[in-house]
Amino acid sequence: MNIPVWDDGNWHPLPRLEGNLESEFCVVGLGGSGLSAILELLRLGRAVVGIDAGPVAGGAAGRNGGFLLAGVAKFYHQSVAEHGPALARRLYQATLEQIAHMQRETPEAIWPVGSLRIAASEEELQDCAAHLKALRADGFEAEPYEGPEGQGLLIPSDAAFNPLQRCRTLARQALEAGARLFENTPALKISGQEVQTPQGRIRCQKVLVAVDGRLEHLLPELKGRVRTARLQMLATAPVARRYKRPVYRRWGYDYWQQLPDGRIALGGMRDAGGEAEWTAQNEPSDPVQHRLEALLHQLDIEAPITHRWAASVGYSTNGLPIAEEVRPGVWAIGAYSGTGNVVGALLGREAAWVLHGSRRPGAVLLT
């Protein structure tokens, strides 16, 4: 199947690029980060062309679990320990502000319900306590939690959303504001002045590559620092209301949420797939799908499975995303390590200002 539960079938495809164009900037990748960059460039009064090898949000941006989590890939106390308290605090605050911005930008796609981190072992429960303590020490919202899902912590400032709906809404907003967007238009060759595609080319001043999965394939300079993995999910028919908030469990290896219409969207078990999940292939695999089915049964969810899908995501070696100029005039953002919905959109906005020749007020990673 490989169709995400988020796809309602109502998208009208955009054209392929045929012929040559000129623009101030070209953005490669029409997911959440690329579209955020395009909209920010438009707000700055700049001209921009955006392309994608597939449809809008055809990669992980429209095929993920629908979590809006503050911070980066590491839990907050881990981020403090590994990246330093100052950077961890600034990143967390910036992503909180980004979640609020996303709610204003696409309110119909976002549900401000918070999130749960649930422990699957005593060791993890102790880690949840350390996580809670670190958040509270820096004045961020968090509460101890015990309920039907288990024990852990509740983070009220997080949210859930429909990632594909949001990206499609952003694409429509960008088109209405004057952006030129093209689907099914892969970038074959990228320099700071030109992007070549199968049936045309875009002459420009600078390029932003806003791609997560397969980033190191598109920009080989990043091999060794970025590695692509496959994340898998499934969804069920509607069931009686059980979950108010999205749930992150077992160190983030298992995650699920109940959609407004009652369907369950559940993913994870990447660790169960072993080395085979470090792949650029984005088709669901039987071993991981069987483990996801077992998790459904463990949760006493017996509804029929209606969707199965997978997506490619990029992981960095240090847990922080890639955000840099990798070739003269070519900037790259990506490798969000499985949690790019918020930080990717934030980086898209920061990268737009860099292309513009300035620094976004409050920028954290592209300073």
Side-chain angles (χ1 to χ4, degrees):
M1 298 167 63
N2 210 14
I3 297 173
V5 70
W6 315 112
D7 194 346
D8 61 9
N10 290 328
W11 177 246
H12 298 289
L14 303 180
R16 292 180 174 85
L17 174 63
E18 296 181 357
N20 300 332
L21 292 178
E22 291 190 6
S23 183
E24 290 183 281
F25 305 111
C26 177
V27 174
V28 179
L30 298 178
S33 56
L35 290 165
S36 292
I38 288 168
L39 283 166
E40 195 76 6
L41 285 166
L42 294 168
R43 294 184 191 109
L44 292 167
R46 310 306 293 265
V48 59
V49 170
I51 63 173
D52 198 289
V56 165
R63 306 174 68 82
N64 61 72
F67 286 45
L68 292 179
L69 307 179
V72 289
K74 301 285 186 180
F75 292 126
Y76 185 70
H77 59 305
Q78 297 169 338
S79 185
V80 169
E82 295 187 25
H83 310 312
L87 178 57
R89 205 161 36 239
R90 289 172 59 215
L91 275 168
Y92 201 88
Q93 182 60 43
T95 52
L96 284 175
E97 294 168 4
Q98 178 62 32
I99 291 173
H101 175 82
M102 295 167 78
Q103 288 181 256
R104 294 190 297 271
E105 203 171 38
T106 55
E108 69 286 350
I110 295 175
W111 314 303
V113 292
S115 74
L116 294 176
R117 181 189 170 192
I118 297 299
S121 66
E122 182 59 34
E123 178 189 5
E124 189 175 6
L125 187 58
Q126 293 176 9
D127 194 74
C128 286
H131 187 175
L132 174 67
K133 181 179 178 180
L135 285 170
R136 285 182 158 179
D138 284 341
F140 297 123
E141 287 187 283
E143 304 169 11
Y145 180 84
E146 183 171 357
E149 301 88 349
Q151 290 180 276
L153 68 155
L154 163 64
I155 303 178
S157 50
D158 288 341
F161 79 136
N162 181 323
L164 188 55
Q165 181 185 6
R166 171 173 158 79
C167 285
R168 288 173 171 177
T169 299
L170 294 182
R172 294 186 188 101
Q173 291 175 0
L175 289 167
E176 291 169 1
R180 290 174 287 178
L181 307 182
F182 300 92
E183 294 181 326
N184 300 306
T185 302
L188 303 180
K189 188 175 181 181
I190 301 172
S191 74
Q193 292 75 44
E194 184 176 273
V195 176
Q196 295 182 17
T197 73
Q199 294 176 294
R201 61 187 62 200
I202 302 155
R203 293 283 299 172
C204 55
Q205 298 173 13
K206 293 178 184 176
V207 176
L208 174 64
V209 178
V211 173
D212 190 25
R214 303 188 183 91
L215 179 61
E216 74 276 28
H217 297 270
L218 193 56
L219 297 173
E221 300 95 320
L222 297 174
K223 286 183 178 177
R225 296 174 55 202
V226 178
R227 194 179 184 192
T228 294
R230 173 173 56 192
L231 300 186
Q232 302 193 42
M233 295 194 68
L234 55 75
T236 73
V239 299
R241 179 59 51 185
R242 294 181 57 178
Y243 302 108
K244 296 180 180 179
R245 305 172 186 89
V247 179
Y248 225 46
R249 197 186 73 164
R250 204 169 61 85
W251 310 96
Y253 279 115
D254 303 332
Y255 47 91
W256 64 89
Q257 67 160 302
Q258 187 164 23
L259 308 189
D261 64 5
R263 293 180 291 177
I264 301 291
L266 177 144
M269 291 291 172
R270 181 173 64 86
D271 57 328
E275 193 66 21
E277 296 310 294
W278 291 107
T279 176
Q281 296 180 8
N282 60 1
E283 296 287 330
S285 69
D286 286 344
V288 171
Q289 288 292 317
H290 290 329
R291 294 294 292 270
L292 291 175
E293 289 180 30
L295 178 56
L296 271 183
H297 295 316
Q298 180 185 338
L299 297 173
D300 293 323
I301 298 170
E302 301 298 334
I305 294 170
T306 59
H307 298 71
R308 301 180 191 271
W309 71 97
S312 296
V313 300
Y315 281 76
S316 69
T317 53
N318 65 357
L320 290 176
I322 294 293
E324 62 192 64
E325 188 175 18
V326 295
R327 298 174 188 169
V330 178
W331 288 78
I333 56 175
Y336 304 121
S337 301
T339 56
N341 287 327
V342 180
V343 73
L346 173 65
L347 263 178
R349 297 172 69 200
E350 289 191 6
W353 281 74
V354 171
L355 268 62
H356 178 64
S358 185
R359 175 183 179 275
R360 181 174 174 268
V364 180
L365 290 166
L366 283 171
T367 58

